Amino acid sequence: MRVLVAEDDEGLGEVLARGLREQGYVVDLVPDGEAAAAYLRFYQYEVVVLDWRMPRLSGLALVQRMRRNAIGPNGAIPVLMLTARDTPADRIAGLDAGADDYLVKPFDFGELLARIRALQRRPPVSQAPSIKIGDVEFDPAAREVLVRGQRPAFTSTELGILEILMRRSPGVADRRSIAQHVWDNEADAFGSNTIDVHLARLRSKLAGGGVRIETVRGVGYRITPT
């Protein structure tokens, strides 16, 4: 399960991300609302955890934008709001803006997990759309890829790279974005040509799928139909 955590307190954000990863979640951690909005345009999440007060764009404004404009594939995704604001009026404002749940700081991490599990149990409002390029179809919800109707075996790293390439197509996915999206520690992606090795394997598995992965020198990579 993939979770987006938007928290401008660096220490708290790292604690939340580490704790969720230890529980088996895939976590993207961002420090402000605009960064969260950018991630929501490209990636599919099952739950979004938003701090109310963040620079550039508040969590309250972001959830309003999500509900009004259905940012990316996540317009109806459950949102858990985190905040130090604890008056009834604040709770009402957060829920009326579109948050599904509300947790006041400081909070117990076990309670945060329980609330995320409760949001997971809610039936989905809509199915995440598949992405198709050439004869390659990627299902973000099922984490499955069809290549001319066949299901080759992909590692989670290969799926992560393929996802960002397909979501950015026909644009370029830069190496840093790939590293941040796929690896918990982006520095791990830049050692021993790690990204290039995974891309070589990905190209091999997509052979015959009517697509090509191009290297854009000095920038990154893009996937396009042949």
Side-chain angles (χ1 to χ4, degrees), residues 4 8 10 13 114 154 181:
L4 175 65
D8 69 328
E10 182 177 355
F154 290 89
H181 177 61

Side-chain angles (χ1 to χ4, degrees), residues 90-102:
D90 291 328
R91 292 187 179 92
I92 291 168
L95 295 170
D96 281 349
D100 296 273
D101 201 357
Y102 192 105

Side-chain angles (χ1 to χ4, degrees), residues 2-225:
R2 195 177 199 98
V3 177
L4 175 65
V5 176
E7 171 58 63
D8 69 328
D9 182 322
E10 182 177 355
L12 177 57
E14 291 294 342
V15 168
L16 292 176
R18 183 170 60 251
L20 289 169
R21 287 169 182 146
E22 288 173 353
Q23 295 297 316
Y25 293 97
V26 176
V27 181
D28 289 330
L29 174 63
V30 296
D32 61 69
E34 286 293 353
Y39 272 67
L40 286 163
R41 291 187 188 99
F42 289 110
Y43 310 127
Q44 174 69 36
Y45 297 98
E46 282 70 37
V47 174
V48 178
V49 179
L50 297 179
D51 181 27
W52 180 314
R53 299 185 67 178
M54 292 186 291
R56 301 178 67 198
L57 184 69
S58 71
L60 191 71
L62 177 57
V63 74
Q64 289 173 327
R65 186 184 294 183
M66 289 174 64
R67 301 317 188 207
R68 184 173 63 250
N69 300 326
I71 296 174
N74 296 281
I77 296 304
V79 171
L80 173 60
M81 187 79 74
L82 303 180
T83 179
R85 306 170 70 110
D86 61 355
T87 69
D90 291 328
R91 292 187 179 92
I92 291 168
L95 295 170
D96 281 349
D100 296 273
D101 201 357
Y102 192 105
L103 190 57
V104 176
K105 300 175 182 178
F107 53 82
D108 181 81
F109 185 71
E111 182 179 0
L112 174 77
L113 288 174
R115 289 174 182 264
I116 289 177
R117 289 194 296 268
L119 292 174
Q120 286 179 256
R121 290 194 293 269
R122 296 186 180 185
V125 175
S126 60
Q127 185 70 22
S130 294
I131 313 164
K132 187 171 183 179
I133 299 175
D135 293 319
V136 176
E137 184 172 0
F138 179 76
D139 183 338
R143 308 298 294 170
E144 290 184 345
V145 179
L146 291 177
V147 180
R148 299 192 69 179
Q150 302 298 312
R151 286 187 173 84
F154 290 89
T155 67
S156 60
T157 299
E158 291 163 352
L159 285 174
I161 295 172
L162 182 60
E163 179 181 19
I164 188 171
L165 289 175
M166 293 186 74
R167 288 196 184 281
R168 294 282 178 91
S169 181
V172 177
D174 62 89
R175 291 173 65 87
R176 184 176 181 82
S177 294
I178 293 173
Q180 291 176 330
H181 177 61
V182 179
W183 281 268
D184 287 344
N185 182 353
E186 65 181 87
D188 294 341
F190 294 110
S192 304
N193 297 319
T194 301
I195 293 178
D196 302 290
V197 170
H198 286 290
L199 278 163
R201 294 173 181 166
L202 196 54
R203 287 186 176 104
S204 176
K205 293 180 181 181
L206 296 177
V211 298
R212 65 174 175 269
I213 297 176
E214 305 171 346
T215 300
V216 181
R217 187 173 298 276
V219 182
Y221 309 89
R222 70 172 156 227
I223 188 169
T224 57

